Amino acid sequence: MYIREWRRFRRMKMEELAQRSKLAVGTISDIETGKKGYTRASLEMIAQALRTRPGYLLEFDPTQNLVFVVRLNGNSKPD
């Protein structure tokens, strides 16, 4: 899980994430450290506050140098 990494990537303090996600600071802290599990609802609220998808919080560390390819026009061949 990469919630802390996403929060830091967005340059957001835990208090700001808690306010934006409508969760308690302690809840955010417990989820980030693994002391407490997350619910689908809490993961969705955190993802929305961090402007990402819930699955990305679980699978992708935004601080790593990853390359994403975005296809803008539905064509599979380059122009």
Side-chain angles (χ1 to χ4, degrees):
M1 179 175 335
Y2 299 101
I3 293 174
R4 177 179 291 154
E5 290 81 1
W6 275 97
R7 178 175 58 78
R8 290 179 176 168
F9 179 72
R10 296 290 189 213
R11 297 183 178 154
M12 195 178 294
K13 293 188 176 194
M14 196 176 296
E15 293 80 7
E16 183 180 355
L17 177 56
Q19 182 181 15
R20 288 177 181 234
S21 65
K22 297 178 176 65
L23 296 170
V25 174
T27 300
I28 299 290
S29 176
D30 287 348
I31 292 172
E32 282 189 357
T33 59
K35 292 180 183 175
K36 180 178 181 182
Y38 59 86
T39 63
R40 180 178 177 174
S42 64
L43 193 66
E44 288 174 350
M45 293 185 323
I46 292 168
Q48 183 176 10
L50 291 171
R51 301 184 323 267
T52 191
R53 296 178 181 198
Y56 290 178
L57 295 175
L58 302 175
E59 297 178 16
F60 299 111
D61 181 345
T63 63
Q64 299 300 311
N65 294 326
L66 300 175
V67 176
F68 290 93
V69 176
V70 178
R71 191 178 312 151
L72 298 176
N73 62 10
N75 293 336
S76 59
K77 297 180 182 177
D79 293 331

